[in-house]
Amino acid sequence: MEFDDKVPIYYQIKQYICREIITGHLQAGSQVPAVRQLALDLTVNVNTIQRALTELNQDGVLVTKRGRGNFVTEDIQVLTAMKQQVVQAALSSTYDQLSRLGITPQEMVTALTTYIERREETTHE
Amino acid sequence: MEFDDKVPIYYQIKQYICREIITGHLQAGSQVPAVRQLALDLTVNVNTIQRALTELNQDGVLVTKRGRGNFVTEDIQVLTAMKQQVVQAALSSTYDQLSRLGITPQEMVTALTTYIERREETTHE
Amino acid sequence: MEFDDKVPIYYQIKQYICREIITGHLQAGSQVPAVRQLALDLTVNVNTIQRALTELNQDGVLVTKRGRGNFVTEDIQVLTAMKQQVVQAALSSTYDQLSRLGITPQEMVTALTTYIERREETTHE
Amino acid sequence: MEFDDKVPIYYQIKQYICREIITGHLQAGSQVPAVRQLALDLTVNVNTIQRALTELNQDGVLVTKRGRGNFVTEDIQVLTAMKQQVVQAALSSTYDQLSRLGITPQEMVTALTTYIERREETTHE
DNA sequence: GTGGTCTAGACCACA
DNA sequence: GTGGTCTAGACCACA
């Protein structure tokens, strides 16, 4: 996995785990891979993984069961809210960025559409 | 100005200045406020401003004239490329984020449109 | 190490590190001494070292691995280009200097040869 | 005239004036252009010119005649020594630079010859 | 331990 | 006044 040099890795790992949950790779109630396993998979130090998991526990997304490991919460409400929040954050961030560049809402939709079209052309070639 | 403490301040200042240029608040060839003035305005240390400006100089966006100050380049090509790059980066980042959440390109456009509509409703109320 | 006080120290350190790579004292892929160690060795402030290394990173000559240190890139192409550039710069600078003194290219070669001969005599005595 | 960003301008002006003397554009005993004129010609601040001239006075290369301006010394010995010194400095600097890159004296001569050949090809095309 | 960022403050070159 | 460099030193993220 590639990390953005400008953002703390633990934070990017938090986002990564949330995405795994949202996309269903990690199901509600299922066990999260062991800290050491994640460290290997993501080629990241164990401490860094720990920090990400601790924060996700505080957010209620993960639940630690002593001696057994971390599990995705079974509280569907929490997960739904989390997904909502993540998607909204992405849209909101785009909106703000483009808006601060003087781009109007209408132009944003056009720009995104064009971006996607170009991208698909390039990929399909 | 508020800074996101997840990202280096000098980097956010780089982006801020690019935005000022893109939106036309800073015109091609015009003088950038003095580093010490910027430091006061943004309540940041002079060195931090320096770092942002030095990198923008390396990128060719700004030009330093010894003892006189920093100026936006008059090379329109560089500025156009910079604008392109900034807008593309925002779109690309959105695309990646949403895509990694399992959202299809079509859904992205709908989601953005919906987001904008809701936002306008909220704002206009 | 002695510094020419006409040229920024960070810049001389950049050149020094490039030389270490070119002469093979620092091999492709090998680790560069820690910034704090370099600061001690060269009796220079850590920040000054940082600046030199940051620029070498931007140039692609060094690669920083978070929390582990700086490494010479393994991209031989980059290193070859860097060496080329450094040698050419030295020759070009000599050429310009002598040329502006009204010395012809032929005379330059003679002058350099004579200079070297005298130097060797002096050294061998 | 173009200045190297890394070296103090007053120092580059000293070198420029020495070159003008060496190449005969400024003859022994002749008057140096007025400070303000030089400032215009070189598009540089008067203070900067002053500093260069002051140091050249200290070196004995220039002589100030009160109320009349600066003149190149008529002491041929001083001028000859200066020329020697400038040329030697250029050769010595090249030698050191290339030597520190692990290039042997023999290779230096070859490298310079090659450099000159390539340069002439490029220029004559 | 290793690098990255930031601050406070000094001093210099240039206009 | 304007930017450039450097130092001393703090604090953080990561291994």
Side-chain angles (χ1 to χ4, degrees), chain C residues 101, chain D residues 18 21-22 28 56 59-61 72-90:
Chain C
L101 297 174
Chain D
C18 286
I21 296 171
I22 292 172
L56 287 168
D59 298 344
V61 172
V72 178
T73 181
E74 299 193 357
D75 185 334
I76 303 301
Q77 271 201 305
V78 168
L79 295 183
T80 310
M82 186 268 281
K83 168 158 186 173
Q84 261 300 313
Q85 188 271 321
V86 171
V87 173
Q88 288 301 305

Side-chain angles (χ1 to χ4, degrees), chain A residues 4-15:
Chain A
D4 176 348
D5 215 54
K6 292 282 186 300
V7 182
I9 290 183
Y10 80 87
Y11 192 76
Q12 296 181 58
I13 292 174
K14 276 186 71 173
Q15 295 178 315

Side-chain angles (χ1 to χ4, degrees), chain C residues 8-10 45 47-48 51 66 68:
Chain C
I9 296 177
Y10 80 87
N45 187 276
N47 290 327
T48 306
R51 171 148 189 194
R66 290 207 200 199
R68 300 213 280 119

Side-chain angles (χ1 to χ4, degrees), chain D residues 1-3 9 13 16 33-50 53:
Chain D
M1 178 167 168
E2 294 194 356
F3 294 105
I9 292 183
I13 292 173
Y16 166 73
V35 175
R36 271 153 232 286
Q37 190 56 48
L38 278 171
L40 284 175
D41 292 353
L42 305 177
T43 56
V44 151
N45 190 278
V46 177
N47 298 327
T48 309
I49 303 286
Q50 277 297 13
L53 297 193

Side-chain angles (χ1 to χ4, degrees), chain C residues 11 18 22 79-91:
Chain C
Y11 193 76
C18 285
I22 291 173
L79 296 181
T80 309
M82 184 269 281
K83 169 159 187 171
Q84 261 299 314
Q85 189 270 322
V86 171
V87 173
Q88 289 301 304
L91 294 171

Side-chain angles (χ1 to χ4, degrees), chain A residues 92-124:
Chain A
S92 159
S93 147
T94 311
Y95 184 93
D96 288 348
Q97 282 182 66
L98 296 177
S99 165
R100 283 183 302 185
L101 297 175
I103 294 176
T104 67
Q106 288 83 337
E107 289 170 338
M108 289 179 199
V109 177
T110 320
L112 181 60
T113 308
T114 311
Y115 176 80
I116 289 170
E117 279 167 7
R118 282 215 199 122
R119 183 166 188 125
E120 305 211 315
E121 279 168 28
T122 323
T123 316
H124 293 347

